[in-house]
Amino acid sequence: MHLFVGTYSFSFAGVEGNGEGIYSVLFDPETGAFGEVRLVAKCRNPSSLALSGDKSFLFAGREVFKGDEPAISSYAVVSGAKLKAISTLLLAGELPCHLAIGAGHNRLASAQYWTGDVVVSTIDEGMFKPPTYLTREGRGPNIKRQDGPHAHFVAFTNQDTVLHIVDLGTDSIVSHKLSTGSVVLDTSTLRVSAGSGPRHMVINQAETRAWVVCELDESLIMLRRAGLGWVIDSVQPAFPTPLEEDGSASAIRLSPDERNIYISGRRQSQIAAFTNEGGSLGSYDCGGICPRDFIITPDGNWIISANQNSNTLTSLRRDPETGSLIQSGYSCKVGSPVALIGN
C-alpha cells in the first residue's frame, strides 16, 4: 500500500521543519518494510491530510499563521501515489490542524487551532465552493494553552448532517446539526474536565460510541451518543498523569475490528493500547521520537507511526487477538512527519 505523509516544511513557533511538503512511501503489509520515499507535492506545512472516499482526491491543510496564508489545498491522486494540484482555499483563521471529509465525499471541514474557528466547504471534483465559518468562543483554566478556543479536530456523522468539533481551548466537544448550506440548526455541547485539553476523537461505525484523547492531562474519555451530541461513560489515564508540565498526548485510533483503542504519547515516545471498554493493555515504544500521528492499516495488522522529532516512520505489528504491539525493526527517513494517511 502507498502512504501519504504530511510534514513540517519550515520552522515556526519553536517547531523544526525538516520536510518539504507531502511525500509518498510504499509500505509492505507482509513484512512491515518501507520502500522508496518520494516528494510528491512541495508545499508549506501540510500537517493535516484527508482522502476522498474513492481515493481520487487528497486534501491538505497549510498550518501557518496569517502572514504565510493559511489554506486548504486539493490534489488529484494520479497513478496511485502521484499528486496534481487542483485548487486552494485561503482561510481567514490561522493554523489549520485537522481536516474531515463527510461520507458523501462532497463536504469538507477544517479546524483552525490558533483562532479556534471551523470552516465547512462543499467540494466538487476537488474544487472548493465558498465556505461557511463557524466561530468559537471561550477559554479554559490553563493560561498558556487555553487562552481562547482552539479547535483541534472535526468529524461528520449522520450522513454528513452533524459536525463534531473537539476544542482543546474550551474543554468542550461541540456537535452542530447543519443545513445543506452549512447553517447551524441546532447545537449540543459537552463539557469535559477543566484543563484536560481534549484533542482528537474516534467514532465507531454505528456512530453510537466515541473515544477522546485529552492532550494536557493525557486522559482517555469514553463517550456514548445521546441525541445530537455525547455523554461521558468514563475517564481514565492514557498515560501517567503529568504533574509539573502539560501533557502531550497526540493521536487516537480505533482498530478496524473496533476491539482496541490506541493513543500516542509524544513525551513518552510510546503508543498506549486499550480495549474498547477502557481496559489497559500497556504501552509500547514507537521506535522513534515524538509520535505525532499514526495509522492502523485496513487489515488491522500494522500500526505505522510518524515520529516528528526523529524524522522517521516506523512500523509495529499488531496482534488482532490480544491488541498487543511489537516493533518490526523497519523504518524510513522523512523530515518532520506529522500526518499520515493510507492510499
Side-chain angles (χ1 to χ4, degrees):
M1 65 181 290
H2 281 99
L3 308 172
F4 287 115
V5 188
T7 66
Y8 279 139
S9 59
F10 68 96
S11 301
F12 76 111
V15 175
E16 286 189 10
N18 299 314
E20 294 186 67
I22 302 171
Y23 294 79
S24 72
V25 181
L26 190 63
F27 177 73
D28 184 345
E30 295 296 323
T31 65
F34 299 92
E36 182 183 6
V37 178
R38 298 174 58 248
L39 179 66
V40 290
K42 195 166 185 176
C43 50
R44 297 177 186 173
N45 287 10
S47 68
S48 53
L49 302 175
L51 196 62
S52 62
D54 61 5
K55 300 185 178 182
S56 295
F57 302 99
L58 181 76
F59 300 86
R62 185 191 297 169
E63 188 181 1
V64 293
F65 290 104
K66 188 174 182 179
D68 292 307
E69 298 186 326
I72 310 167
S73 295
S74 63
Y75 302 86
V77 180
V78 182
S79 301
K82 297 179 181 179
L83 298 180
K84 179 181 178 181
I86 299 176
S87 180
T88 295
L89 174 65
L90 295 177
L91 302 175
E94 299 179 88
L95 300 189
C97 65
H98 189 261
L99 301 176
I101 294 180
H105 318 314
N106 65 345
R107 191 176 245 181
L108 181 141
S110 172
Q112 282 61 254
Y113 174 80
W114 193 250
T115 44
D117 61 289
V118 170
V119 166
V120 182
S121 175
T122 300
I123 48 177
D124 183 12
E125 293 298 310
M127 300 293 295
F128 299 101
K129 303 294 185 179
T132 298
Y133 281 84
L134 308 178
T135 58
R136 314 273 308 119
E137 294 182 353
R139 60 185 301 168
N142 186 321
I143 297 173
K144 293 187 299 180
R145 296 296 310 279
Q146 297 181 308
D147 56 335
H150 293 304
H152 217 311
F153 176 89
V154 281
F156 291 101
T157 62
N158 299 75
Q159 297 180 322
D160 307 346
T161 62
V162 176
L163 177 66
H164 305 280
I165 303 167
V166 179
D167 191 324
L168 183 149
T170 63
D171 294 316
S172 63
I173 300 163
V174 180
S175 302
H176 292 308
K177 183 175 177 58
L178 301 177
S179 70
T180 54
S182 298
V183 174
V184 175
L185 302 176
D186 195 8
T187 298
S188 174
T189 300
L190 173 65
R191 302 290 179 182
V192 301
S193 296
S196 59
R199 179 183 171 99
H200 278 199
M201 167 192 272
V202 287
I203 302 171
N204 69 349
Q205 287 291 320
E207 301 180 354
T208 56
R209 302 184 66 192
W211 298 260
V212 174
V213 59
C214 294
E215 177 176 339
L216 301 183
D217 72 355
E218 298 186 341
S219 62
L220 167 63
I221 303 175
M222 285 171 279
L223 308 176
R224 57 183 169 84
R225 198 72 184 269
L228 178 60
W230 308 91
V231 294
I232 296 174
D233 263 347
S234 63
V235 182
Q236 67 182 82
F239 295 97
T241 304
L243 299 177
E244 297 182 358
E245 60 180 326
D246 291 335
S248 59
S250 185
I252 183 170
R253 301 292 180 189
L254 175 65
S255 61
D257 57 16
E258 299 193 351
R259 295 178 59 180
N260 297 114
I261 299 294
Y262 297 90
I263 293 172
S264 61
R266 288 177 287 181
R267 293 187 310 131
Q268 301 86 353
S269 293
Q270 293 178 342
I271 295 175
F274 300 87
T275 68
N276 60 13
E277 298 298 336
S280 176
L281 301 174
S283 296
Y284 303 87
D285 193 303
C286 71
I289 302 172
C290 189
R292 167 69 176 266
D293 195 14
F294 69 95
I295 62 170
I296 305 176
T297 55
D299 60 12
N301 292 334
W302 296 95
I303 279 181
I304 304 169
S305 179
N307 308 308
Q308 181 179 348
N309 292 352
S310 57
N311 303 297
T312 57
L313 303 184
T314 51
S315 61
L316 297 90
R317 185 180 288 276
R318 172 178 176 261
D319 185 330
E321 294 301 317
T322 66
S324 62
L325 306 176
I326 185 169
Q327 291 182 46
S328 70
Y330 290 107
S331 67
C332 68
K333 285 287 186 181
V334 182
S336 303
V338 292
L340 271 178
I341 198 164
N343 182 26

